[in-house]
């Protein structure tokens, strides 16, 4: 029997609305928004980005997960992995009894018709979807529409004989799912590249060729099987993981366009080069909002809240770190004290503790934003802690 797939929720939106509000909403954040995204208290002035926090895709995915739990109280409900990259939200779902196939003791091989499986906002690979379907599991598909839009473009590239060049992280679930779309057609190919440096290597190869083996070794985890750079870079189509730094994606697109024009001539571009900007609007809005905040407000430092493995959060931190001391924190607990903060170092990409992060006296202006997978109640706790650190109650 074909599996039952829920793609538009489970008709329980109202039933779970209260639970979602209690778990993730914040009245304080609502008040800060209503006050021009500004919070003032004692020596602290805090500027909140105009766009931050849960995006439409995450909102919907979390909503569907709660609906699934409510609809199937007596059945095992699984997630293929993290529903979104926020530890707080994932722990809340574990607390509801939703099991994660990536947690120890759970395996896809044990699933059958009796089980319900939630597919995350960034989607799953075609192979995983086929596996779950063949087991007859009931599926709750929360794949975001913006991710589906990328898949549409990548599928079209493959259909038309173009290799998909994906600006993304080959180890990220969304990019793995996107890359798998290219393989649906005979001869479908993909190559994933992470940044400008990797794009420059590929562009050099397009322009003047190079050592095929060195190329394949460099991208061994990031290309489809049987990839041959001497053949498969002749017709290319660009796409992005939806949460990359949009300025970098655009730059990479321009680099490839220029390399293809040099190799094949401007007149041939229509036949050998395609590009679609597939950064999602929520990612773009959050990046634009932070650029605006940095340009308009004289903030002394930036706090970015979100999971360390959240691509869009890391990119917000990269933008901030270009001009301000920036502390990317995974949760409010990372604000250890008035003198110490635990955070992900933007350049080194590891977690460190920095001492003396807050000026001990005088006015202080802090900019604040959060990634698309960070709920407002975490932002509220950070605001409260900043207030307490900046304006400690004098001891009696
Ligand atoms: S970041 Fe963009 S693509 Fe990802 S879930 Fe949110 S809206 Fe969808």
């Amino acid at each position: 029997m074909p599996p039952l797939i829920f793609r538009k929720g489970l008709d329980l939106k109202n039933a779970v609305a209260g639970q979602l509000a209690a778990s993730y909403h914040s009245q304080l954040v609502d008040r800060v928004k209503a006050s021009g995204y500004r919070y003032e208290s004692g020596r602290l002035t805090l500027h909140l980005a105009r766009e931050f926090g849960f995006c439409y895709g995450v909102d919907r995915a979390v909503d569907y997960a709660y609906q699934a739990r409510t609809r199937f109280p007596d059945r095992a409900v699984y997630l293929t992995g993290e529903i979104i990259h926020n530890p707080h939200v994932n722990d809340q779902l574990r607390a509801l009894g939703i099991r994660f196939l990536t947690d120890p003791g759970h395996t896809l091989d044990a699933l059958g018709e009796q089980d319900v499986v939630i597919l995350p906002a960034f989607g799953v690979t075609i192979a995983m979807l086929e596996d779950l379907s063949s087991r007859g599991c009931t599926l709750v598909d929360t794949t975001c529409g913006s991710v589906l839009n990328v898949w549409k473009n990548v599928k079209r590239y493959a259909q038309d004989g173009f290799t998909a060049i994906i600006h993304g992280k080959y180890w990220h679930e969304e990019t793995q799912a996107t890359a798998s779309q290219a393989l649906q057609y005979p001869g479908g190919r993909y190559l994933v590249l992470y940044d400008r440096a990797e794009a420059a290597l590929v562009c050099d190869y397009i322009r003047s060729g190079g050592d095929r083996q060195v190329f394949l070794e460099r991208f061994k985890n990031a290309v489809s099987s049987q990839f041959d750079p001497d053949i498969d870079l002749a017709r290319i189509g660009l796409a992005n993981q939806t949460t990359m730094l949009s300025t970098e994606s655009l730059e990479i697109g321009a680099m490839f366009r220029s390399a293809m024009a040099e190799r094949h001539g401007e007149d041939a571009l229509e036949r050998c080069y395609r590009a679609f900007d597939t950064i999602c609007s929520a990612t773009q809005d959050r990046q634009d909002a932070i650029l605006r905040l940095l340009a308009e407000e004289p903030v002394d430092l930036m706090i970015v809240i979100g999971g360390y493995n959240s691509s869009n959060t890391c990119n917000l931190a990269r933008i901030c770190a270009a001009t301000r001391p920036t502390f990317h924190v995974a949760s409010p607990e990372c604000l250890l004290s008035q003198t110490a903060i635990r955070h992900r170092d933007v350049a080194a990409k590891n977690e460190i503790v920095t001492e003396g992060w807050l000026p001990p006296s005088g006015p202080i202006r802090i900019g604040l934003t959060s990634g698309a997978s960070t709920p407002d109640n975490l932002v509220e706790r950070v605001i409260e802690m900043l207030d307490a650190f900046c304006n400690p109650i004098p001891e009696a």
Side-chain angles (χ1 to χ4, degrees):
M1 204 170 80
L4 186 57
I5 305 187
F6 294 89
R7 288 204 164 93
K8 295 188 172 169
L10 300 98
D11 294 329
L12 290 167
K13 192 167 181 56
N14 291 338
V16 301
Q19 210 178 354
L20 288 169
S23 300
Y24 305 116
H25 186 245
S26 161
Q27 291 186 352
L28 173 62
V29 168
D30 286 348
R31 286 202 298 276
V32 176
K33 284 185 185 172
S35 310
Y37 291 75
R38 190 182 175 104
Y39 175 91
E40 292 192 80
S41 172
R43 74 185 182 106
L44 171 68
T45 303
L46 197 140
H47 298 279
L48 196 53
R50 297 263 162 177
E51 295 286 344
F52 64 96
F54 270 16
C55 59
Y56 48 85
V58 164
D59 226 9
R60 177 171 163 277
V62 175
D63 185 9
Y64 286 9
Y66 276 71
Q67 290 190 39
R69 177 73 282 178
T70 306
R71 172 84 177 257
F72 303 107
D74 303 323
R75 289 170 67 179
V77 178
Y78 290 89
L79 265 160
T80 55
E82 296 192 340
I83 188 165
I84 55 171
H85 289 141
N86 185 280
H88 171 76
V89 176
N90 288 308
D91 286 347
Q92 295 273 82
L93 295 176
R94 284 189 181 91
L96 289 179
I98 296 177
R99 304 167 192 181
F100 286 50
L101 287 173
T102 43
D103 284 351
H106 298 300
T107 155
L108 194 139
D109 293 337
L111 300 189
E113 285 178 12
Q114 70 284 0
D115 297 308
V116 179
V117 183
I118 302 166
L119 312 182
F122 27 68
V124 296
T125 61
I126 289 176
M128 179 172 262
L129 184 62
E130 285 175 354
D131 195 339
L132 292 167
S133 301
S134 69
R135 293 170 187 282
C137 302
T138 297
L139 302 179
V140 178
D141 186 359
T142 78
T143 308
C144 179
S146 295
V147 174
L148 295 174
N149 182 44
V150 187
W151 292 1
K152 191 177 72 186
N153 285 307
V154 166
K155 273 192 281 192
R156 198 175 296 144
Y157 292 154
Q159 229 171 350
D160 296 348
F162 284 66
T163 294
I165 304 283
I166 305 167
H167 176 214
K169 302 170 179 174
Y170 70 78
W171 58 91
H172 191 285
E173 300 95 321
E174 179 191 317
T175 292
Q176 289 170 355
T178 296
S180 77
Q181 297 291 325
L183 306 180
Q184 280 188 80
Y185 297 90
R189 297 275 188 271
Y190 68 81
L191 182 154
V192 179
L193 46 89
Y194 174 57
D195 57 11
R196 285 185 200 90
E198 290 198 348
L201 287 176
V202 182
C203 286
D204 283 348
Y205 203 100
I206 288 173
R207 280 195 189 89
S208 40
D211 187 321
R212 187 172 167 279
Q213 281 317 316
V214 170
F215 184 98
L216 289 173
E217 180 59 25
R218 179 72 176 76
F219 290 101
K220 65 179 177 210
N221 296 315
V223 290
S224 45
S225 69
Q226 321 257 310
F227 189 90
D228 184 343
D230 294 329
I231 298 169
D232 297 327
L233 294 174
R235 299 175 85 203
I236 59 169
L238 274 282
N240 333 98
Q241 186 178 316
T242 54
T243 50
M244 299 305 276
L245 197 59
S246 67
T247 48
E248 190 173 45
S249 278
L250 290 173
E251 205 179 311
I252 285 172
M255 287 166 72
F256 274 96
R257 188 188 184 287
S258 140
M260 293 299 278
E262 276 185 46
R263 180 80 171 82
H264 303 286
E266 278 287 336
D267 293 347
L269 276 183
E270 208 174 313
R271 294 191 301 278
C272 65
Y273 173 80
R274 289 184 188 172
F276 287 95
D277 177 6
T278 51
I279 298 288
C280 79
S281 59
T283 296
Q284 185 73 58
D285 290 347
R286 278 152 189 71
Q287 293 179 7
D288 290 347
I290 211 65
L291 286 167
R292 183 177 158 194
L293 189 158
L294 291 166
E296 292 179 354
E297 306 296 349
V299 294
D300 302 307
L301 61 94
M302 289 296 306
I303 305 244
V304 180
I305 315 165
Y308 293 158
N309 58 348
S310 158
S311 173
N312 80 87
T313 311
C314 291
N315 283 325
L316 291 175
R318 277 174 78 190
I319 295 172
C320 297
T323 57
R324 299 294 198 289
T326 297
F327 302 100
H328 172 182
V329 296
S331 68
E333 289 70 36
C334 291
L335 280 70
L336 302 174
S337 69
Q338 190 181 12
T339 55
I341 187 166
R342 189 171 67 234
H343 62 103
R344 179 182 185 270
D345 186 283
V346 173
K349 301 178 183 165
N350 57 346
E351 192 181 59
I352 57 172
V353 173
T354 296
E355 303 282 342
W357 66 290
L358 275 179
S361 60
I364 177 159
R365 288 175 182 269
I366 296 178
L368 184 61
T369 188
S370 61
S373 45
T374 305
D376 282 358
N377 60 338
L378 297 190
V379 177
E380 171 176 313
R381 279 167 56 204
V382 167
I383 295 173
E384 288 171 348
M385 291 173 83
L386 287 172
D387 196 348
F389 290 156
C390 292
N391 305 300
I393 298 166
E395 286 179 26

